[in-house]
Amino acid sequence: MNGKFLLRKSSLAIVCFFLFSSLAYAKPLDKAHLSNEITYTLKEVGLYSKDMHNLLMGTAAAETDFGQCPTMNRGPDLGVFQIEKSTHDDIWENWLSAKPVLTKKLKSVMWPAVPKVVQLKFNMRYQIAMAAIHYDRAHYVTKCLDRKKFTSKSDYIWWLAYVHKRYYNSFKGKSTTLRYYQKYHEYII
């Protein structure tokens, strides 16, 4: 009986995967909804801070214009945060394997019996958690973001842009600190 139930759930996941795999959002995600999802997910996995929240909001804006990028889910980068499958797999193999408590918390936002790569495309909470974990791997990133040390909001956003480019997008990526800064202003402020 239990095996049949899992088979049905897996079949449903496969149908959903093929049904939605080529779709990108027709319009940007609602800012308030995304903000609430980020807050909830970060608290659920134990990585919440206002700075991590702001960093992820800016990442969604810079990477996919809040989910309306026409190439979203068609290349190596997946989901609203454009996480590469190789980065995703590396996080699981080399980071989460040594962090059982974080892994358990991450699993609380995952859909049962759905492959991780499908969740990386369509499960917003999983995408949020994986993006936060990706940033968190650079240990001091979350610790060095202290808004009090910035003399202006503009300086703070430039710092978020630097962290995004340095630790998330990398020097090989197409995004720039200027794009992050501009998209932060366009979508968040």
Side-chain angles (χ1 to χ4, degrees):
M1 182 81 164
N2 195 16
K4 288 181 183 178
F5 178 71
L6 286 177
L7 181 60
R8 284 189 204 135
K9 281 186 130 180
S10 297
S11 299
L12 178 62
I14 291 168
V15 169
C16 289
F17 170 74
F18 286 112
L19 182 61
F20 297 111
S21 64
S22 64
L23 298 176
Y25 299 101
K27 60 182 184 172
L29 296 169
D30 178 69
K31 178 175 111 174
H33 177 72
L34 181 60
S35 178
N36 290 339
E37 287 291 315
I38 288 173
T39 298
Y40 174 85
T41 303
L42 290 176
K43 287 180 179 179
E44 188 74 17
V45 298
L47 294 175
Y48 180 81
S49 73
K50 186 66 177 165
D51 297 316
M52 181 65 86
H53 176 275
N54 292 340
L55 192 56
L56 291 178
M57 289 290 287
T59 301
E63 293 289 337
T64 62
D65 292 315
F66 271 23
Q68 67 176 348
C69 176
T71 60
M72 190 171 80
N73 292 335
R74 293 187 187 160
D77 306 328
L78 304 172
V80 172
F81 296 94
Q82 294 289 274
I83 299 171
E84 291 186 11
K85 185 179 180 315
S86 60
T87 301
H88 170 269
D89 294 347
D90 183 65
I91 289 169
W92 273 100
E93 291 168 18
N94 297 310
W95 185 252
L96 292 171
S97 62
K99 303 215 173 278
V101 174
L102 181 57
T103 301
K104 184 177 180 180
K105 290 177 180 180
L106 175 61
K107 287 180 178 180
S108 75
V109 299
M110 294 175 70
W111 299 329
V114 177
K116 292 174 190 161
V117 72
V118 174
Q119 297 200 47
L120 194 56
K121 288 182 178 186
F122 304 112
N123 179 342
M124 182 60 69
R125 290 181 178 169
Y126 183 69
Q127 292 175 40
I128 292 165
M130 290 303 290
I133 291 167
H134 184 40
Y135 277 120
D136 194 54
R137 286 197 301 174
H139 300 286
Y140 68 92
V141 168
T142 53
K143 293 173 181 60
C144 70
L145 284 171
D146 181 4
R147 286 174 280 141
K148 294 174 188 158
K149 71 181 176 187
F150 298 101
T151 56
S152 69
K153 189 168 192 160
S154 180
D155 287 347
Y156 175 65
I157 297 167
W158 277 115
W159 178 249
L160 293 175
Y162 167 77
V163 169
H164 170 259
K165 182 62 182 170
R166 174 72 173 86
Y167 297 102
Y168 193 87
N169 187 260
S170 86
F171 69 93
K172 293 179 184 177
K174 293 179 184 175
S175 190
T176 65
T177 53
L178 179 59
R179 176 178 169 78
Y180 185 101
Y181 184 84
Q182 290 170 335
K183 294 297 180 177
Y184 198 98
H185 279 277
E186 181 180 341
Y187 286 99
I188 300 160
I189 294 181

